[in-house]
Amino acid sequence: MPPTRAVVLLSGGLDSSTCLAIALSKGRDVLALTVDYGQRHRKEISAAKAVAKRLGVKEHKILKVDLAQFGGSALTDERIGVPTGRTEKEIGRGIPPTYVPARNTVLLSLAIAYAEAAGADEVYIAANFLDYSGYPDCRPEFFAIFREVARLGTKRGVEGRPTRIHTPLIRTRKADIVRTGAKLGVPFGLTWSCYHGRAKACGVCDSCKLRLKGFREAGLEDPLPYETPPKG
């Protein structure tokens, strides 16, 4: 039998790169999908290309959907500041301005469309509900409902073969994501997590702080260069 085909949403960050490695480790025939949605940290798109190439992904599509036209997020509108210097207790409390309206709804819709067109049975997304920034579309209940959307709103679903949506990291601490990625050979030095697209990661935005926390607790060194050197 041919291997199961799977679409993996790949942003180029730590989590999505680990999610990609997990799908590959399961023997999936992976189709990587990166969405250029007008994010200010466009460096992650180049990171996604590099990670996909390093891990041997045969098909990697980059799809442009310009959510920046809507604004409403610090990640798509440079007039809105990216929060920096928040403590671990502050991160995850409330919904920060880096939330992109309905981003995961849009990304998953594109992924199941791609999967259906390509004959893929699965979609992988690296959403995480622990050590995260408080985004509402990263919650397990959101994905439970979206699985119903895929079942009811696609030809595959109506025919009794709905696309299976996997969230392998949904309840995984960042340190364990780092450990899993290291075990599976994720090229951490090629990934990009910072909400800024500068030459070096800032080290003080929520995403950088969560990433650094994960490496610190995993007992590993993050190979990325930082503008603000990590403490401890």
Side-chain angles (χ1 to χ4, degrees), residues 49-197:
K49 291 179 183 178
V51 169
K53 183 177 181 180
R54 176 68 65 85
L55 293 183
V57 174
K58 296 177 182 178
E59 182 169 319
H60 179 204
K61 289 189 181 296
I62 299 175
L63 188 62
K64 187 173 180 61
V65 180
D66 193 3
L67 299 182
Q69 292 189 58
F70 300 154
S73 169
L75 298 191
T76 58
D77 187 341
E78 293 190 0
R79 296 171 298 180
I80 302 174
V82 172
T84 59
R86 298 208 298 168
T87 66
E88 290 182 11
K89 289 185 178 180
E90 290 172 327
I91 296 174
R93 182 185 302 166
I95 302 174
T98 49
Y99 162 70
V100 179
R103 179 175 58 182
N104 278 350
T105 301
V106 173
L107 298 187
L108 278 174
S109 296
L110 295 171
I112 63 171
Y114 181 22
E116 187 163 36
D121 296 309
E122 301 175 336
V123 165
Y124 282 74
I125 183 171
N128 179 260
F129 187 59
L130 302 176
D131 294 333
Y132 80 130
S133 295
Y135 301 148
D137 53 1
C138 286
R139 296 175 298 166
E141 51 266 41
F142 166 78
F143 294 100
I145 294 298
F146 204 93
R147 290 184 180 97
E148 280 296 285
V149 171
R151 183 178 70 84
L152 296 172
T154 63
K155 180 176 182 289
R156 286 180 59 100
V158 170
E159 292 177 347
R161 301 178 299 112
T163 303
R164 298 186 294 276
I165 298 173
H166 297 293
T167 55
L169 304 177
I170 194 73
R171 296 185 185 277
T172 307
R173 289 290 180 189
K174 193 69 74 175
D176 290 324
I177 294 174
V178 171
R179 294 186 187 103
T180 298
K183 181 179 179 181
L184 296 177
V186 172
F188 292 133
L190 298 179
T191 64
W192 187 260
S193 302
C194 183
Y195 286 148
H196 299 282

Side-chain angles (χ1 to χ4, degrees), residues 28-63:
R28 300 303 191 251
D29 177 15
V30 167
L31 310 174
L33 177 61
T34 298
V35 180
D36 175 355
Y37 59 86
Q39 58 269 55
R40 65 196 294 172
H41 53 310
R42 301 181 59 78
K43 192 169 180 177
E44 70 173 5
I45 297 171
S46 298
K49 291 179 183 178
V51 169
K53 183 177 181 180
R54 176 68 65 85
L55 293 183
V57 174
K58 296 177 182 178
E59 182 169 319
H60 179 204
K61 289 189 181 296
I62 299 175
L63 188 62

